[in-house]
Amino acid sequence: MSDYTTKVMDQVRAKNAHEPEFIQAVQEVITTIAPVLDAHKKYEDNCILERITEPERTIIFRVPWTDDKGNIHVNRGYRVEFNSAIGPYKGGLRFHPSVNLGILKFLGFEQIFKNSLTTLAMGGGKGGSDFDPKGKSDREVMRFCQSFMTELQRHIGPDTDVPAGDIGVGGREIGYLFGQYKRLRNEFTGVLTGKALHWGGSLIRPEATGYGCVYFAQNMLATKGDSVEGKVCVVSGSGNVAQFLVEKLNQLGAKVVTMSDSDGYVYDPAGIDLEKVHWIMELKNVRRGRIREYADAFPGVQYFPGQRPWSVPCDCAFPCATQNEINGAEAATLIKNGCKLVAEGANMPTDLDGINAYLEAKILYGPAKAANAGGVATSGLEMAQNSQRLNWTSEEVDAKLFDIMKNIHENAYTHAQEFAAATGSTDGFTNYVAGANIAGFVKVADAMIDQGLV
Ligand code: NDP
């Protein structure tokens, strides 16, 4: 690292000492963009790193609500408006007991570069609450969402900040949040994405993150003259991203042998085919059940409570649950068992040791901010349709998603090749981490310089 990056990293550590995930995300970006910073002194002269690692605005608020028995509860709500250099803040809302400011800052920071990679005009933001929707009735979730939006509505808008879903925030929550925004503001606008189809949502938005991640994997494999057809795949998670990723892998002829939730994973050597993944969609989205029920419903399936699926031999791995779900040892196990590709559906699912293991083994590694950008890209398409008061067909949206993922891959690939020597890749290996970070950074940093010290 140069003197400049070392100085900024030290400052970030000192100022955010209690936010390990945020420090991890910043370190990953800063170390990989070093060649660009060395080549262009304007970024240091304009203190771009110091500015880009500090959110433009952070909002923290009280969310009081009552349960079905009339008891009062208080949760904490957040919105981190990180960077608006290239468009309105855009990023999901996460409802999960593990949510804190550091987690949302890491997610908001990643979102800046991801949104830049999509080529659409979207800045970076993230928000959420430590509220846990699991085990709550629909009425309780509605009252919570209404209370959350009562405060959040002051800070967002279709040209200011456009939240979407994330862990624990699906179609049901977006509906309640949108309803309260509309009631308080008396405006029907595209202020949230992930809306239902019959009131402003976009076809393919629910599918987009999972489908897009598979398209990205296909693009990586194509550089080797290969494809996902016939590949044995290990997937974690069983929520929105995992469900549609498994659907698309099946459509393209791959075999998926695991899915999971926070209690454990299921291993189905016969493959989680289309019929079975649609059963999982009903289990998780309608009955709100647990993945262990899959092992009772289908023969030959094993359930591993309290474990993650990374010891199962595979050709390709798709982490789609949460951050830091693959550590260095688990990455090494994947590689030892023959895994040749990792494409990240979740945000920052691999820790820094795990990333180093992939890079040392020179496997195809699609980092989250490139591989899962299909979700936010399609949110951008939903915003465009809302502004035009038009609905595009699913074929149109899927074709645009397909092209966007191809462009993101090309952008990351080209930047990785351009800076290959400086990032230590002299044998034709594509370091997509460096490529994605550099491509995402340059556009935002140049916009910040153009717009002056704001
Ligand atoms: P969902 O809430 O729909 O599903 C999350 C899945 O991950 C569930 O199976 C959940 O299990 C599991 N999970 C959550 N937390 C943990 C944990 N701490 N340990 C183990 N398993 C866990 O969320 P999404 O599918 O939307 O999001 C999954 C990931 O993808 C997240 O990292 C998110 O940030 C990222 N992402 C999502 C996008 C989207 O469009 N939805 C866009 C880009 C990235 P359980 O049911 O037990 O909670």
Side-chain angles (χ1 to χ4, degrees):
M1 293 220 289
S2 67
D3 289 350
Y4 177 44
T5 50
T6 304
K7 183 188 82 182
V8 174
M9 218 36 249
D10 287 347
Q11 285 172 358
V12 167
R13 278 197 203 92
K15 280 169 113 174
N16 307 279
H18 302 294
E19 297 171 352
E21 293 85 1
F22 177 58
I23 293 170
Q24 180 184 339
V26 172
Q27 186 169 344
E28 186 222 279
V29 170
I30 287 191
T31 44
T32 51
I33 63 173
V36 178
L37 301 171
D38 290 343
H40 303 282
K41 285 289 170 224
K42 62 179 176 178
Y43 299 125
E44 183 173 351
D45 293 345
N46 284 281
C47 289
I48 290 297
L49 288 188
E50 292 87 332
R51 289 159 60 195
I52 211 168
T53 52
E54 195 63 39
E56 288 175 15
R57 190 175 302 106
T58 302
I59 301 138
I60 303 182
F61 50 97
R62 180 174 67 196
V63 189
W65 57 282
T66 50
D67 65 23
D68 289 342
K69 296 196 178 94
N71 300 313
I72 294 172
H73 300 264
V74 179
N75 284 94
R76 190 170 285 178
Y78 305 84
R79 186 72 183 163
V80 180
E81 297 184 332
F82 222 119
N83 192 296
S84 61
I86 61 166
Y89 310 105
K90 180 90 195 97
L93 296 171
R94 176 176 291 191
F95 292 169
H96 193 272
S98 64
V99 162
N100 58 42
L101 185 58
I103 298 265
L104 296 176
K105 278 171 66 183
F106 115 65
L107 289 162
F109 183 72
E110 291 271 300
Q111 198 82 43
I112 302 169
F113 308 99
K114 181 190 308 192
N115 293 2
S116 165
L117 278 173
T118 66
T119 71
L120 304 176
M122 297 182 290
K126 200 83 187 186
S129 173
D130 56 1
F131 172 74
D132 187 359
K134 268 203 242 64
K136 307 287 188 304
S137 71
D138 287 351
R139 292 283 171 100
E140 287 171 333
V141 170
M142 181 183 75
R143 284 194 292 274
F144 174 81
C145 287
Q146 290 178 338
S147 181
F148 183 85
M149 184 53 86
T150 300
E151 175 59 31
L152 186 69
Q153 56 88 22
R154 298 176 214 280
H155 311 286
I156 63 175
D159 298 316
T160 317
D161 183 354
V162 185
D166 190 76
I167 291 178
V169 179
R172 173 183 62 172
E173 289 77 14
I174 292 289
Y176 296 146
L177 291 164
F178 183 84
Q180 183 74 348
Y181 181 89
K182 185 167 59 72
R183 181 188 199 190
L184 293 172
R185 301 285 288 257
N186 197 23
E187 284 171 6
F188 194 111
T189 62
V191 68
L192 291 162
T193 57
K195 302 184 288 298
L197 267 184
H198 48 291
W199 46 272
S202 173
L203 284 158
I204 305 294
R205 176 61 191 91
E207 291 87 345
T209 309
Y211 279 20
C213 187
V214 177
Y215 295 155
F216 193 87
Q218 282 283 57
N219 278 290
M220 288 199 292
L221 285 162
T223 65
K224 307 275 178 206
D226 204 352
S227 81
V228 297
E229 190 177 353
K231 298 282 185 294
V232 173
C233 302
V234 163
V235 175
S236 67
S238 51
N240 171 263
V241 178
Q243 291 169 11
F244 288 105
L245 179 128
V246 172
E247 182 176 85
K248 182 53 76 179
L249 282 173
N250 272 288
Q251 288 169 358
L252 296 175
K255 180 178 176 183
V256 177
V257 293
T258 67
M259 289 181 79
S260 71
D261 61 22
S262 47
D263 295 335
Y265 79 90
V266 287
Y267 172 53
D268 184 349
I272 303 172
D273 60 20
L274 277 176
E275 194 184 325
K276 289 170 175 172
V277 77
H278 292 151
W279 185 91
I280 288 177
M281 288 177 183
E282 203 266 339
L283 170 78
K284 293 306 251 184
N285 308 344
V286 181
R287 288 194 278 134
R288 301 194 183 271
R290 309 302 299 158
I291 200 69
R292 65 172 168 267
E293 296 171 49
Y294 179 91
D296 301 328
F298 298 99
V301 179
Q302 280 177 282
Y303 175 62
F304 294 88
Q307 292 185 46
R308 305 195 277 222
W310 314 123
S311 59
V312 174
C314 63
D315 302 308
C316 306
F318 295 89
C320 297
T322 192
Q323 65 274 359
N324 290 333
E325 53 169 318
I326 304 181
N327 60 29
E330 288 163 317
T333 303
L334 277 169
I335 294 160
K336 180 170 71 72
N337 288 339
C339 179
K340 294 280 183 295
L341 175 147
V342 177
E344 296 181 334
N347 282 312
M348 204 169 77
T350 310
D351 73 9
L352 292 171
D353 290 342
I355 293 175
N356 287 334
Y358 303 150
L359 297 178
E360 272 166 33
K362 298 191 188 300
I363 63 168
L364 293 171
Y365 167 49
K369 59 173 79 68
N372 74 26
V376 72
T378 310
S379 279
L381 302 180
E382 182 173 332
M383 289 163 72
Q385 292 169 79
N386 291 164
S387 302
Q388 294 175 305
R389 302 269 196 267
L390 283 177
N391 286 315
W392 301 336
T393 65
S394 59
E395 289 75 20
E396 273 177 282
V397 181
D398 197 22
K400 285 184 203 295
L401 170 65
F402 188 85
D403 284 345
I404 288 172
M405 295 315 295
K406 192 163 180 285
N407 290 336
I408 292 173
H409 174 270
E410 202 160 304
N411 205 0
Y413 182 87
T414 313
H415 281 82
Q417 296 302 335
E418 187 183 342
F419 289 93
T423 52
S425 304
T426 46
D427 54 359
F429 169 67
T430 307
N431 182 337
Y432 287 100
V433 187
N437 285 338
I438 291 169
F441 170 79
V442 167
K443 184 173 161 193
V444 176
D446 288 347
M448 289 172 73
I449 293 173
D450 291 345
Q451 292 167 23
L453 192 55
V454 291

